Amino acid sequence: MRAYDLILKKRNGYALDRAEIDYIISGYVDGSIPDYQMAAMAMAIYFRGMNKEEALSLTEAMVNSGDTISLSPIPGTKVDKHSTGGVGDTTTLVLAPLVAAAGAPVAKLSGRGLGHTGGTLDKLESIPGFKTELTMEELINAVREVGVAVAGQTGNLVPADKMLYALRDVTATVDSLPLIAGSIMSKKIAAGADALVLDVKSGDGAFLKELSQARELAKMMVDIGNGAGRRTMAVITSMDQPLGRAVGNAIEIEEAILTLRGEGPPDLEELCLVLGGWMLKLAGRASEPDEGKLILKKCIENGEALEKFKDLIRYQSGNEAVVDNLSLLPRADEQLEVKSEFSGYVSRLQAEKIGIAAMTLGAGRVTKDSSIDPAAGLTVEKKIGEKVEQGGTLATIFFKQGTDPGTVQNAVKMIRDAYEIGNSKVDEPDLILDYIEGDGQGNE
Ligand code: URA
Ligand code: CA
């Protein structure tokens, strides 16, 4: 086999078989296939796409490039969720303890935030003492003992993705659906869960703005997951505005705790119940997602979800007293209300701009090595469809004393730019846009 012939074959629109895809990926990882040939192959894939079999072969070849995690010492069906990235997306913080409280074990490997989307590990580390670095053995023991753990990646999972992602980033081949699907699914499959619920975001604040594209990506990932023997489904959800009200680290922990108490923002609670309901169904803990939702509601009402969050925090060395006393979380020195210049109804609220404003205040990382301020961030006080008066508060920002006034003014300007205020009332956008199940058929 020669890389040249395989690039030519893909360039001319033919499907590659499993052995050919294995050859390309293993050759790229061991250095026998150079960057320039892999770059040409990525571009050929970008233009020609991949069929279902090719996408599965690509994903499995990527999984096989490094370590894989076996969660088999943990009894039961281990269920995971993945979101394609949103702004102020507090769902993992709520779902991990909530689903575990309903009896489904959750062993979650999570990441740090880069750019305008926050990472779950950064959020958890705003809890005093919380440790996210667990060995594989510690992670498994935690899940065996308390039913849930959330930790950073250990081991060398999917090195092919690290190499390929860096290459795609500089060759204009990031936004190829099979390459995205292979990238995401290889990491989830290597992380060992038996069942997987995908939250594929669509809209203003998502990297796939068009619903049709989100659907196509979701279908491809669902087919890959099921093809690889993991029960997988996807919910397509709107990212036309930030989820919930809090965007930051400590304030999203606070929002998660409120949601686990049943006092959270309705959109965040609804999304958690929908995703969690499906997680329970795939884990065999509920016969239908709606039954799963009812089980989860009960776990919120009877306090078990909140207790499970305390167990998780305590087991990972954090101060679980934060759950009953929110003032133990880091607090910002300074806060400022961003006022509306107009009266009317919020007609648009661009999530990405809100995320960038929170990042520049210190809640996120501008580069991979920047440090974050756990107390920094913002709360959106008005969402799409809500009425606002001139001089009324759109958002409140939180930051450190001594923050450069120019930085604060830029954040204020960016938040004002994120809002569009119109004269007529606009309906709140639908949160759940579609469901994609194992046969790949969408049903509204
Ligand atoms: N997220 C990933 O992990 N990979 C992609 O290619 C795109 C988004
Ligand atoms: Ca939020």
Side-chain angles (χ1 to χ4, degrees):
M1 238 182 266
R2 293 194 316 154
Y4 177 92
D5 298 322
L6 302 181
I7 296 166
L8 183 67
K9 187 173 176 185
K10 185 82 260 180
R11 190 204 75 180
N12 289 345
Y14 297 98
L16 301 174
D17 66 28
R18 178 169 287 257
E20 291 168 336
I21 290 171
D22 280 343
Y23 176 83
I24 290 284
I25 296 298
S26 60
Y28 183 50
V29 173
D30 73 21
S32 58
I33 292 176
D35 270 353
Y36 51 82
Q37 284 187 309
M38 192 66 218
M41 179 59 88
M43 191 58 85
I45 292 170
Y46 175 88
F47 279 110
R48 293 297 192 173
M50 279 187 149
N51 66 29
K52 196 165 143 174
E53 288 72 32
E54 289 177 287
L56 178 59
S57 299
L58 172 69
T59 306
E60 292 188 324
M62 290 173 74
V63 171
N64 292 335
S65 72
D67 300 338
T68 55
I69 291 174
S70 168
L71 298 177
S72 53
I74 304 166
T77 303
K78 278 71 67 183
V79 59
D80 198 358
K81 65 81 72 161
H82 178 80
S83 154
T84 62
V87 173
D89 190 342
T90 319
T91 51
T92 294
L93 295 170
V94 177
L95 278 171
L98 180 57
V99 168
V106 178
K108 181 108 192 100
L109 292 182
S110 225
R112 293 188 187 279
L114 178 61
H116 72 277
T117 55
T120 298
L121 297 185
D122 299 314
K123 295 171 193 177
L124 284 168
E125 284 174 355
S126 70
I127 299 170
F130 197 97
K131 218 177 90 187
T132 58
E133 273 172 39
L134 301 184
T135 63
M136 232 11 259
E137 204 185 341
E138 288 171 326
L139 177 79
I140 285 172
N141 286 339
V143 182
R144 287 176 66 107
E145 251 166 78
V146 297
V148 56
V150 184
Q153 248 190 37
T154 59
N156 183 27
L157 300 190
V158 203
D161 180 61
K162 295 187 185 87
M163 294 173 66
L164 190 51
Y165 196 89
L167 186 73
R168 288 162 59 205
D169 209 21
V170 293
T171 56
T173 51
V174 168
D175 53 346
S176 149
L177 296 187
L179 294 179
I180 295 170
S183 168
I184 293 174
M185 292 304 292
S186 60
K187 287 176 282 192
K188 300 316 284 184
I189 290 167
D194 307 303
L196 179 61
V197 172
L198 299 162
D199 176 7
V200 178
K201 306 284 190 190
S202 168
D204 254 357
F207 68 89
L208 298 176
K209 317 276 179 215
E210 297 298 328
L211 180 57
S212 60
Q213 282 230 306
R215 261 199 197 105
E216 208 180 316
L217 177 66
K219 180 177 167 1
M220 198 176 269
M221 292 198 292
V222 167
D223 285 342
I224 290 170
N226 287 297
R230 317 296 168 107
R231 301 167 78 174
T232 306
M233 68 81 61
V235 183
I236 301 182
T237 69
S238 158
M239 203 11 94
D240 278 329
Q241 61 179 343
L243 192 63
R245 297 201 180 263
V247 183
N249 296 285
I251 54 175
E252 285 194 47
I253 294 286
E254 179 173 334
E255 187 170 61
I257 292 168
L258 292 174
T259 306
L260 290 167
R261 280 186 198 161
E263 298 163 7
D267 60 342
L268 176 60
E269 178 181 288
E270 175 62 12
L271 182 58
C272 290
L273 292 175
V274 168
L275 296 173
W278 277 99
M279 287 170 80
L280 292 187
K281 175 176 159 63
L282 295 193
R285 301 268 163 181
S287 57
E288 287 306 323
D290 280 346
E291 187 199 342
K293 260 173 108 163
L294 290 177
I295 295 171
L296 297 173
K297 275 189 183 158
K298 201 177 269 169
C299 291
I300 291 176
E301 281 159 17
N302 65 18
E304 283 174 14
L306 212 52
E307 271 316 301
K308 193 56 79 179
F309 196 34
K310 279 189 202 169
D311 293 344
L312 162 73
I313 296 172
R314 187 185 318 115
Y315 200 93
Q316 295 190 227
S317 315
N319 181 3
E320 82 263 24
V322 297
V323 171
D324 295 315
N325 184 357
L326 296 172
S327 71
L328 295 173
L329 287 166
R331 294 279 163 145
D333 312 312
E334 305 275 351
Q335 69 179 66
L336 180 71
E337 292 181 357
V338 180
K339 307 284 191 189
S340 178
E341 294 167 297
F342 313 99
S343 295
Y345 294 91
V346 178
S347 57
R348 191 170 180 211
L349 173 48
Q350 295 179 67
E352 197 170 340
K353 286 189 177 150
I354 294 292
I356 294 171
M359 175 186 76
T360 60
L361 291 168
R365 287 188 185 77
V366 182
T367 70
K368 227 167 66 189
D369 303 314
S370 27
S371 64
I372 61 160
D373 171 6
L378 58 87
T379 54
V380 294
E381 310 290 346
K382 295 289 176 192
K383 296 192 51 165
I384 296 176
E386 291 183 319
K387 194 171 193 294
V388 60
E389 303 296 339
Q390 186 180 18
T393 303
L394 292 173
T396 306
I397 61 175
F398 303 94
F399 52 94
K400 258 198 180 79
Q401 198 172 21
T403 303
D404 169 42
T407 300
V408 175
Q409 276 321 304
N410 274 336
V412 168
K413 183 175 180 310
M414 200 161 321
I415 291 165
R416 286 215 180 99
D417 285 349
Y419 276 91
E420 271 176 32
I421 315 282
N423 289 325
S424 44
K425 178 148 172 58
V426 178
D427 287 337
E428 207 182 305
D430 287 340
L431 181 61
I432 309 294
L433 303 175
D434 204 355
Y435 300 96
I436 309 284
E437 290 184 68
D439 60 358
Q441 299 296 306
N443 33 51
E444 310 279 336

